[in-house]
Amino acid sequence: MAVTDEAIEKIKGMIVSGALRPGDRLPKESELAAGLGLSRNSLREAVRALSLMRILDVRQGDGTYVTSLDPQLLLEAMSFVVDFHRDDTVLEFLAVRRILEPAATAQAASRIGEDQLDALSDQLNALGAELSVEQLVAADLEFHRSFVRSAGNSVLCSLLDGLSGPTTRARIWRGLTREDAVGRTLREHRAIPAALRDRDAEAARSWATVHIASVEQWLRSTP
């Protein structure tokens, strides 16, 4: 592992220094290994690891390229890791969301367009009384993404996406459905775009905090 770690650090150094830029093709394996003073085996392991982290893109028959290094791409790995959390740590992820998401919601108050707000309202109004957990999860993801994207910070948007992906939301929504708390949750959903439409950043921040805190409270009280 130490040799592979060294190989990873050397390739990382080339990217950070600008020797390799987003979209660049890496030199041939033999050339790169010799240039970095690495064995070809350790280089292959490093490339494999960096491709899993979405830093490199291995294209069969074409070569290995540096990805776009877009924050959303790089933070996808976090979403994958979050999906494996234990039930007793979901509160920790929600606590981080409670710090970040209200801030993003407040920023969106001055940025979100009327057409986006209309779309949010239509989306909420279209939800029927009898929804499956999968439908609720999809609606919840798109609802939160809509105004978080409007905050204008792609890193913040990607972080929040990763912190509470479909698996986490499915676990929560199954419980909320059993407890018949869906109606309350959807009422909180409607309060957020109402505050955004009023361009009231602090009210939007408060409603986002209340919404996440109420889910936390429900989880804490659940045996």
Side-chain angles (χ1 to χ4, degrees):
M1 278 303 298
V3 176
T4 303
D5 288 345
E6 180 188 0
I8 289 171
E9 285 301 314
K10 286 186 175 182
I11 296 172
K12 174 185 168 185
M14 292 179 71
I15 296 170
V16 171
S17 70
L20 286 172
R21 298 182 179 277
D24 281 356
R25 181 177 177 174
L26 270 64
K28 291 181 180 179
E29 183 183 90
S30 57
E31 295 174 9
L32 185 58
L36 295 177
L38 300 168
S39 71
R40 293 176 71 167
N41 281 338
S42 62
L43 178 61
R44 286 191 198 111
E45 289 299 319
V47 167
R48 189 175 293 116
L50 290 168
S51 67
L52 289 172
M53 290 185 273
R54 311 304 295 273
I55 293 169
L56 297 179
D57 179 19
V58 179
R59 304 176 191 173
Q60 292 299 326
D62 187 15
T64 300
Y65 293 79
V66 180
T67 67
S68 65
L69 303 179
D70 181 85
Q72 188 168 359
L73 183 68
L74 297 177
L75 289 167
E76 279 180 8
M78 184 178 70
S79 179
F80 182 77
V81 171
V82 169
D83 282 345
F84 288 98
H85 71 75
R86 303 186 312 273
D87 286 344
D88 61 349
T89 59
V90 67
L91 283 165
E92 294 181 15
F93 290 112
L94 276 169
V96 177
R97 262 189 74 197
R98 183 157 45 86
I99 294 168
L100 297 178
E101 193 163 309
T105 307
Q107 285 184 34
S110 62
R111 296 170 176 264
I112 194 167
E114 290 293 328
D115 55 338
Q116 293 170 284
L117 288 167
D118 290 341
L120 275 174
S121 297
D122 291 344
Q123 178 191 332
L124 290 171
N125 291 334
L127 295 177
E130 299 296 328
L131 290 173
S132 68
V133 170
E134 289 72 23
Q135 288 171 314
L136 285 167
V137 168
D140 191 49
L141 278 168
E142 186 51 38
F143 173 78
H144 287 273
R145 280 176 181 152
S146 294
F147 54 80
V148 168
R149 275 196 299 259
S150 298
N153 187 316
S154 62
V155 175
L156 183 56
C157 185
S158 298
L159 278 170
L160 286 167
D161 237 11
L163 283 168
S164 189
T167 301
T168 300
R169 277 181 157 86
R171 292 179 183 181
I172 293 170
W173 273 111
R174 283 192 188 98
L176 289 173
T177 304
R178 285 197 301 268
E179 295 293 321
D180 196 30
V182 174
R184 184 202 67 206
T185 304
L186 294 179
R187 283 194 296 274
E188 292 167 359
H189 273 191
R190 289 187 173 89
I192 295 171
L196 292 173
R197 196 179 290 278
D198 289 339
R199 307 298 171 185
D200 190 334
E202 289 311 308
R205 185 197 305 272
S206 297
W207 274 115
T209 303
V210 165
H211 176 51
I212 299 168
S214 67
V215 177
E216 285 184 88
Q217 185 179 37
W218 173 82
L219 283 170
R220 290 183 193 282
S221 63
T222 302

